[in-house]
Amino acid sequence: MECVRLRVKDVDFAYHQIVVRDGKGQKDRVTMLPQQVKDPLQQHLQTVKQLHEADLQVGAGHVYLPYALERKYPNAHREWIWQYVFPATKLSQDPRTGLIRRHHAHRLVLQRAVQAAVRQAKIPKPASCHAFSACLCDPFTRSRL
């Protein structure tokens, strides 16, 4: 869920890092953004930005903001930086507000993609999204960042 909930503002290409917000234990942590992922991720974000601009033109383009941020920043839910890095393929109606929004991709989409990658890489062991949580550890202390 930490991956599908990433927002555009949480990816920092200049410092090669990703901020994972409200992760395990409701803590924020920083992890590295590998150089190999940088260019494909930037291309992906260009596609997502085009999708967001198209959503705005039809009166959508809203995302859910956590806690009281929607009250504190009334127009932030339409801003590019608050959009999800991995948005859902379809717009949906928020049952709380009635607004048409684009939520983040469903966790099953990510799980299926990881399973497909494991099969394609011919890794002879079971693997899941949880296996990548080790990547969020400090390599020196093995404690979570």
Side-chain angles (χ1 to χ4, degrees), residues 1-141:
M1 290 306 295
E2 294 169 353
C3 181
V4 295
R5 289 183 184 148
L6 279 177
R7 310 267 184 163
V8 172
K9 68 179 190 58
D10 297 327
V11 180
D12 191 333
F13 291 103
Y15 287 101
H16 309 284
Q17 64 186 21
I18 299 171
V19 179
V20 178
R21 304 220 181 255
D22 204 21
K24 190 172 183 179
Q26 283 68 49
K27 294 182 180 178
D28 294 351
R29 60 187 179 276
V30 179
T31 188
M32 65 179 196
L33 174 63
Q35 188 64 36
Q36 289 180 318
V37 176
K38 189 175 177 182
D39 288 339
L41 185 56
Q42 285 176 322
Q43 291 171 0
H44 170 75
L45 287 176
Q46 287 175 353
T47 304
V48 172
K49 188 169 187 177
Q50 291 172 351
L51 179 64
H52 173 60
E53 289 169 354
D55 287 349
L56 287 173
Q57 288 180 352
V58 296
H62 308 267
V63 292
Y64 168 77
L65 293 179
Y67 313 114
L69 288 174
E70 203 146 9
R71 284 191 312 256
K72 187 174 182 180
Y73 305 112
N75 295 317
H77 64 281
R78 295 173 55 99
E79 292 179 14
W80 165 240
I81 63 168
W82 287 99
Q83 303 303 305
Y84 292 110
V85 172
F86 302 106
T89 55
K90 297 179 182 178
L91 294 170
S92 60
Q93 186 174 19
D94 186 331
R96 290 167 285 194
T97 64
L99 289 174
I100 301 298
R101 296 183 180 208
R102 189 172 298 274
H103 202 56
H104 58 70
H106 195 276
R107 64 180 172 79
L108 290 177
V109 173
L110 177 62
Q111 290 170 349
R112 289 178 184 144
V114 168
Q115 289 298 319
V118 168
R119 281 192 301 275
Q120 185 178 2
K122 297 181 181 167
I123 297 172
K125 297 182 179 188
S128 66
C129 297
H130 187 71
F132 295 108
S133 67
C135 298
L136 298 175
C137 291
D138 183 328
F140 300 108
T141 64

